[in-house]
Amino acid sequence: MPSTTDRERALEELLAKLNDQQREAATHGSGPLLTVAGAGTGKTTTLAHRVAYLVATGVDPGRILLLTFTRRAASEMLRRVDSLLAELHARHGQADPRAARAATRRIWGGTFHSVATRLLRAHGRAINLPPEFTILDRGDSEDLMGALRGELEFDDTGKRFPQKGTCLDVYSRCVNTQKKLGRVIGESFPWLLEHGDDLKKLLESYVDRKEQEAVVDYDDLLLFWEALVADREAGPRLRQKFDAILVDEYQDTNLLQASILKHLAPDGEGVTVVGDDAQSIYSFRAATVRNILDFPKQYPGTTVVPLERNYRSTQPVLNATNAVIALAAERHEKRLWTDIGSGPNPVLVDCRDEDEQTDWVVDRVLELRESGLLLRQQAVLFRASHHSLALEVELARRDIPFHKYGGLKFVETAHVKDLMAFLKLAENPRDSVAARRVFELLPGIGPKNARRLHAEMTEGGFATLRETRPPAAAAEYWGDLVGLLEFLAGNTGEDEGQVASDVHRVRSFYSPLLELKYDYAPARLRDIEQLEIVAGRFPNRQTFVAELVLDPPSSTQDFAGDPQLDEDYLVLSTIHSAKGLEWDAVTVLHAADGNLPSDMATGSSEEIEEERRLFYVALSRAKTHLHVCYPQRYYFQGRGRSDAHGYAKLTRFLPKNCLTHFDRRPARIESDDGSTDGRANTTTAAVRAGQKRMFG
């Protein structure tokens, strides 16, 4: 058995890979710790080493809670911990990696919502939440809100009542900011002021209906977790479950998530949060920068460790980003540096207008490609999705492939939601959204009949449906549907292969309906075949349904088509979607006031400060080449005028002291022969000579 000295030596060798600040964070004691991790400073490495250090120094892995914002981030973090522990065991002379994996599997790792689901399934009865609750995704929540909107006849008032998605946004902001409805409308939805009373009725009905049907939405998961941990009986049990709580990307948390953390660890003992206040850019999701800024006040005695050594960017890029964020009204102090070496200065490109900006960007992308930088190592970033439209047209015209971030998630597609509705209904027959979706698949059944059928089923169970006379058009499917629902409802065990078997039964019934209802049926059928294969990996149906709602895949892969020999492509992305990513070359479009910052986000000093952080995030994605484009003239397109235009001001986030870190160049540069950009060979002398020839 290895001695204590051997273990200490092995741990020391493992920590030797960290720089001084990373090591300080990784080996911190049990008091509250805030690690302010600047962009590219090895945040994930540091957090993984801290988890491994806790396990190696005796903390029970089953009493460690690791909270992240995506399932992939949690998986990556735990994979690194697994690797570190395996390395540590090997240094001890224990080459079997299974011991390390066993420890890692016991760690409570996941997103806020997935951990909330797990805890609520186990302890929810303490707050009268039935464990068989089903989870509404965003689309389901909108559908329920829309159904209630119709039942209350707000769709027939003779006035423009807000759509279901807007109503859900209002509700979600109330929950996550913990603000009253009137204040939320006044601050974030002022155009809805006249609908305040009706919105109150609608949101109250939405809450009541979820309670009646034992369904929860994403916001409820956090709300009920907070209620559970604040409960006089259940709260102490939950607080005793964890000795160490680590939260990644703390700048992206909302008030509800901060409250959950405070209830779990009132004095901050064992709490580690990691984040960067300079990258807090999600207030539209109710995230608040105050959580990370005020963490030392919330938890007196907090140790603040900044990570300042950058492993991503050259020093000229860091000089520019440091200067931009240094002007923030309030921040945790840090100054990023690197020993990567020097590189070109960032460049501010003065463009006459958007067309010249587009031409310059395409030419620059091709120039970098010819110098050896692949297209996929380059990115063009912008504040709003429509800012890239002109560029997309030109890229297509010049045969330059590109990928733009965004699109419909796989589980938001109609056919996948249909299949999942059968499983949700079997888990929770009170779920009206799932019931209406299932019943309305059958010919001849509309919303009114679907509501009636669900009411009958809720009162008497699935067997009641056998006594129901369906519309004539649905008669041929009715018996099979009732039999399927009865089978699914009765099949509640955890036998191996059960989930895939359930999905197969649903798919067999649903496939003919899919072919009647949707275009592109073959591709959709392959999607649900793929779901059946995926279902085989889950221990039970409840877990399968919850996982697909909480961590939805973006797509399934179709059969390979014709080979694409050139798989290189340029990346186009909004700045929000680019957070956490990096490229060798980054170009930021439309650095003009009104675009950056957006003219829709200048109503308060807090909004402007978030726009500054957004600009910082864009700049800090670059490793070596950073270009910022400033079109000086904008045409009033879509405003009933043609050639009318105005001159834009350079973004307020690049004042003179920041511009000292940029080279400033016009998009069109005079060459030695007097031409511009090598495109035009005409000179004034040539024009004059042509005029004289006209006279001869």
Side-chain angles (χ1 to χ4, degrees):
M1 178 180 292
S3 67
T4 301
T5 304
D6 290 336
R7 287 196 296 271
E8 290 175 350
R9 186 181 302 114
L11 187 57
E12 181 63 31
E13 291 174 357
L14 200 68
L15 296 170
K17 302 173 184 178
L18 304 179
N19 65 43
D20 291 344
Q21 291 174 322
Q22 291 174 330
R23 182 190 178 96
E24 182 183 355
T27 61
H28 177 74
S30 60
L33 170 67
L34 167 60
T35 302
V36 184
T41 56
K43 167 181 70 70
T44 302
T45 295
T46 304
L47 193 54
H49 275 79
R50 173 140 184 80
V51 176
Y53 178 82
L54 290 171
V55 175
T57 53
V59 177
D60 181 351
R63 298 180 61 81
I64 296 175
L65 174 60
L66 173 62
L67 293 167
T68 64
F69 274 82
T70 67
R71 186 63 55 88
R72 182 178 179 182
S75 298
E76 170 64 13
M77 197 79 69
L78 293 175
R79 186 191 64 78
R80 292 199 190 191
V81 172
D82 187 65
S83 176
L84 291 170
L85 291 177
E87 184 178 344
L88 194 61
H89 283 206
R91 292 179 188 277
H92 282 182
Q94 301 172 355
D96 187 356
R98 287 176 294 182
R101 283 198 295 270
T104 306
R105 287 196 192 100
R106 295 180 57 216
I107 295 172
W108 284 64
T111 65
F112 272 90
H113 293 92
S114 65
V115 171
T117 302
R118 186 176 171 186
L119 289 171
L120 290 170
R121 295 274 191 223
H123 305 283
R125 287 198 183 278
I127 55 172
N128 295 321
L129 180 67
E132 69 272 12
F133 67 83
T134 47
I135 304 170
L136 302 175
D137 63 19
R138 169 76 192 199
D140 294 333
S141 299
E142 286 189 8
D143 288 344
L144 180 56
M145 189 73 76
L148 294 169
R149 184 176 176 272
E151 290 177 23
L152 294 170
E153 299 183 345
F154 291 151
D155 56 351
D156 191 26
T157 61
K159 293 184 178 181
R160 184 173 64 94
F161 195 78
Q163 294 290 331
K164 60 183 181 180
T166 304
C167 297
L168 187 64
D169 288 339
V170 174
Y171 165 81
S172 185
R173 186 161 286 270
C174 287
V175 172
N176 288 299
T177 62
Q178 299 288 279
K179 294 178 181 178
K180 297 284 188 180
L181 175 62
R183 183 177 172 186
V184 166
I185 293 175
E187 291 178 354
S188 303
F189 304 89
W191 62 93
L192 301 181
L193 284 171
E194 66 173 302
H195 300 294
D197 291 340
D198 287 342
L199 277 169
K200 181 176 184 293
K201 293 177 186 176
L202 176 60
L203 300 191
E204 287 177 345
S205 297
Y206 177 68
V207 171
D208 290 342
R209 186 63 60 86
K210 287 186 296 177
E211 179 71 15
Q212 293 166 13
E213 298 180 359
V215 296
V216 301
D217 57 27
Y218 288 153
D219 297 321
D220 290 334
L221 290 171
L222 299 182
L223 201 60
F224 291 153
W225 186 6
E226 184 198 36
L228 187 65
V229 78
D231 184 75
R232 283 185 300 178
E233 293 185 8
R237 292 201 301 270
L238 261 65
R239 282 191 285 277
Q240 292 167 10
K241 285 183 73 71
F242 306 112
D243 294 327
I245 303 172
L246 303 96
V247 185
D248 191 17
E249 304 285 9
Y250 194 66
Q251 78 280 349
D252 294 336
T253 55
N254 58 38
L255 289 174
L256 197 51
Q257 289 161 326
S259 177
I260 290 168
L261 182 64
K262 186 69 174 174
H263 281 299
L264 282 172
D267 58 0
E269 188 71 11
V271 171
T272 296
V273 300
V274 181
D276 184 6
D277 54 285
Q279 297 185 68
S280 178
I281 59 174
Y282 292 124
S283 66
F284 64 92
R285 298 179 186 167
T288 172
V289 71
R290 299 299 339 160
N291 284 349
I292 192 167
L293 289 176
D294 296 341
F295 187 85
K297 298 176 186 175
Q298 292 276 339
Y299 299 93
T302 292
T303 299
V304 180
V305 178
L307 302 185
E308 297 174 302
R309 182 178 177 181
N310 181 280
Y311 295 92
R312 172 189 298 161
S313 305
T314 59
Q315 194 61 50
V317 171
L318 294 179
N319 291 339
T321 57
N322 283 335
V324 167
I325 202 61
L327 298 176
E330 189 177 0
R331 69 191 185 103
H332 286 295
E333 190 67 34
K334 64 181 181 302
R335 186 168 186 83
L336 303 188
W337 62 274
T338 186
D339 58 4
I340 289 176
S342 190
N345 283 339
V347 178
L348 176 65
V349 183
D350 289 306
C351 306
R352 186 176 58 232
D353 53 27
E354 186 177 13
D355 289 340
E356 189 167 89
Q357 173 182 252
T358 295
D359 288 339
W360 183 89
V361 169
V362 176
D363 288 343
R364 180 60 176 162
V365 164
L366 292 175
E367 179 185 331
L368 288 172
R369 180 177 178 272
E370 290 303 314
S371 71
L373 205 60
L374 296 173
L375 291 176
R376 61 177 176 270
Q377 295 172 315
Q378 307 180 50
V380 180
L381 308 182
F382 31 86
R383 173 63 177 84
S385 184
H386 67 270
H387 286 168
S388 68
L389 294 180
L391 177 61
E392 292 173 45
V393 171
E394 184 63 13
L395 289 169
R397 189 185 72 81
R398 295 172 69 169
D399 196 28
I400 300 174
F402 63 89
H403 283 189
K404 187 174 181 179
Y405 283 90
L408 193 66
K409 288 183 177 178
F410 175 58
V411 295
E412 293 169 352
T413 56
H415 55 292
V416 174
K417 289 181 73 66
D418 288 345
L419 185 138
M420 297 301 294
F422 287 90
L423 304 180
K424 285 185 174 184
L425 190 58
E427 288 296 307
N428 177 15
R430 287 185 280 171
D431 187 336
S432 67
V433 175
R436 286 198 301 270
R437 192 165 197 108
V438 167
F439 290 137
E440 289 179 29
L441 287 171
L442 273 59
I445 297 182
K448 185 176 179 179
N449 267 330
R451 285 196 295 272
R452 175 182 62 82
L453 291 167
H454 181 234
E456 294 175 5
M457 185 193 75
T458 302
E459 186 175 342
F462 290 121
T464 306
L465 297 177
R466 290 199 174 276
E467 304 168 8
T468 299
R469 185 173 180 178
E476 66 173 297
Y477 301 100
W478 191 251
D480 290 339
L481 172 62
V482 176
L484 172 63
L485 292 175
E486 288 179 329
F487 172 82
L488 293 174
N491 193 19
T492 57
E494 297 188 5
D495 298 334
E496 186 176 352
Q498 174 203 311
V499 186
S501 175
D502 286 353
V503 174
H504 178 77
R505 280 181 174 262
V506 173
R507 185 167 70 84
S508 298
F509 172 79
Y510 171 59
S511 293
L513 295 170
L514 182 154
E515 294 184 86
L516 288 174
K517 191 175 179 69
Y518 300 117
D519 295 330
Y520 309 111
R524 294 175 186 266
L525 289 170
R526 286 196 294 271
D527 279 348
I528 60 175
E529 287 173 12
Q530 186 71 17
L531 264 183
E532 181 180 330
I533 296 171
V534 171
R537 304 173 188 168
F538 288 84
N540 57 64
R541 192 171 61 211
Q542 189 180 72
T543 302
F544 173 65
V545 171
E547 290 285 322
L548 255 69
V549 173
L550 295 175
D551 187 34
S554 296
S555 65
T556 60
Q557 299 301 311
D558 207 341
F559 293 115
D562 294 334
Q564 184 178 350
L565 299 181
D566 184 2
E567 295 184 346
D568 202 12
Y569 54 85
L570 178 68
V571 175
L572 307 184
S573 176
T574 62
I575 302 171
H576 284 99
S577 296
K579 182 173 174 290
L581 303 176
E582 60 186 45
W583 295 272
D584 290 275
V586 168
T587 300
V588 182
L589 301 183
H590 295 290
D593 237 69
N595 291 326
L596 263 172
S598 167
D599 55 4
M600 300 295 291
T602 54
S604 67
S605 58
E606 290 81 9
E607 288 179 306
I608 293 171
E609 285 302 304
E610 178 158 326
E611 292 290 296
R612 186 193 312 278
R613 296 193 294 268
L614 190 64
F615 186 52
Y616 169 80
V617 167
L619 303 184
S620 60
R621 302 307 95 197
K623 295 181 181 179
T624 306
H625 303 279
L626 174 60
H627 295 87
V628 178
C629 292
Y630 162 44
Q632 298 169 348
R633 177 167 59 189
Y634 284 92
Y635 290 94
F636 300 115
Q637 298 172 347
R639 301 187 187 179
R641 294 188 253 174
S642 55
D643 289 339
H645 61 272
Y647 286 107
K649 293 188 67 172
L650 177 65
T651 175
R652 68 188 73 184
F653 304 139
L654 287 179
K656 288 183 179 179
N657 63 323
C658 290
L659 286 177
T660 59
H661 300 288
F662 287 79
D663 293 337
R664 191 164 187 174
R665 300 172 188 163
R668 298 173 71 82
I669 302 173
E670 287 283 337
S671 63
D672 292 339
D673 63 359
S675 65
T676 56
D677 282 341
R679 299 180 194 176
N681 294 315
T682 303
T683 64
T684 55
V687 174
R688 299 301 186 199
Q691 288 177 323
K692 290 178 181 178
R693 285 195 295 274
M694 291 172 62
F695 305 145

